[in-house]
């Protein structure tokens, strides 16, 4: 099972992709706004893959993808692009930004599931974190204790944001 962030302005495409992903028991959070997708992505380390439409209004898709690639932490995050556009310059630009793959609509369900499996097989966060089970065993804590400590840490960040408003605002961007 994967946690997927879906960025698409089309309700029809969103419903179709959610249906395909549900067959693989994947969880999907969907938005039609790049700025919401960015805030959602940064809110926690819970996503395995972003699936997005290449053509969003006012170039929002390209800006979102560039923002992800420019970020020190999410720079290697797997992004799957899908679109009806087979414009060579668009394909080159997105491939140059290091997307995992580029699918043209109509795409097969098997192709989507293969791309999700690829992202899950070699998780991007493995560069930063060891798996939870090994970490808990090494530290002698339960997963529940780890979750509680993370909540306490996040509460500390929120407190710091109130004390230092400029830092809190920069963290929300």
């Amino acid at each position: 099972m994967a946690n997927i962030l879906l960025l698409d302005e089309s309700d029809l495409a969103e419903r179709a992709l959610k249906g395909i992903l549900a067959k693989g028991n994947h969880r999907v959070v969907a938005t039609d706004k790049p700025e919401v997708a960015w805030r959602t992505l940064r809110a926690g380390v819970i996503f395995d893959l972003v699936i997005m439409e290449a053509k969003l209004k006012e170039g929002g898709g390209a800006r979102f993808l560039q923002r992800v690639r420019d970020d020190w932490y999410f720079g290697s995050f797997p992004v799957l692009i899908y679109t009806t556009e087979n414009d060579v310059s668009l394909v080159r630009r997105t491939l140059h930004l290091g997307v995992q793959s580029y699918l043209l609509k109509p795409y097969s369900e098997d192709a989507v599931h293969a791309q999700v499996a690829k992202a899950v097989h070699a998780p991007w966060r493995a560069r930063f974190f060891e798996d939870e089970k090994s970490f808990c065993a090494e530290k002698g804590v339960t997963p529940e204790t780890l979750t509680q400590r993370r909540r306490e840490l996040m509460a500390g960040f929120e407190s710091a944001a109130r004390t230092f408003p400029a830092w809190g605002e920069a963290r929300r961007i």
Side-chain angles (χ1 to χ4, degrees):
M1 176 172 50
N3 296 315
I4 298 166
L5 177 59
L6 174 62
L7 175 57
D8 197 325
E9 295 168 339
S10 166
D11 290 336
L12 179 62
E14 177 185 325
R15 285 192 309 271
L17 202 51
K18 278 183 171 180
I20 290 170
L21 294 167
K23 291 178 184 177
N25 293 319
H26 303 299
R27 293 183 287 197
V28 178
V29 173
T31 183
D32 61 349
K33 294 178 178 49
E35 63 275 3
V36 173
W38 178 248
R39 283 195 309 270
T40 303
L41 184 62
R42 288 197 48 191
V45 185
I46 59 172
F47 293 103
D48 300 297
L49 175 69
V50 169
I51 300 177
M52 63 178 279
E53 165 63 58
K55 288 284 213 176
L56 298 175
K57 292 178 190 164
E58 301 171 14
R63 281 196 309 278
F64 172 79
L65 182 56
Q66 186 66 60
R67 190 172 197 181
V68 169
R69 291 298 171 246
D70 288 346
D71 188 78
W72 71 271
Y73 184 68
F74 290 107
S76 64
F77 194 90
V79 177
L80 172 62
I81 299 287
Y82 69 99
T83 189
T84 56
E85 299 291 323
N86 61 0
D87 174 16
V88 174
S89 66
L90 177 64
V91 174
R92 281 188 187 141
R93 188 174 39 212
T94 56
L95 291 176
H96 177 72
L97 288 172
V99 298
Q100 177 177 300
S101 192
Y102 191 100
L103 299 178
L104 287 175
K105 294 178 188 175
Y107 42 78
S108 73
E109 290 185 22
D110 290 341
V112 172
H113 288 292
Q115 291 301 319
V116 172
K118 182 178 178 182
V120 171
H121 176 71
W124 69 276
R125 49 183 174 274
R127 290 183 35 211
F128 301 101
F129 304 100
E130 60 190 296
D131 69 284
E132 182 178 287
K133 187 176 178 181
S134 299
F135 181 81
C136 287
E138 179 184 322
K139 298 300 179 187
V141 299
T142 65
E144 294 78 21
T145 301
L146 184 62
T147 298
Q148 180 58 35
R149 288 182 180 172
R150 182 179 183 274
R151 286 187 184 125
E152 292 167 0
L153 180 62
M154 295 308 291
F157 284 146
E158 290 303 317
S159 175
R162 286 189 298 277
T163 304
F164 304 102
W167 177 83
E169 187 57 36
R171 181 150 166 69
R172 289 191 216 344
I173 295 176

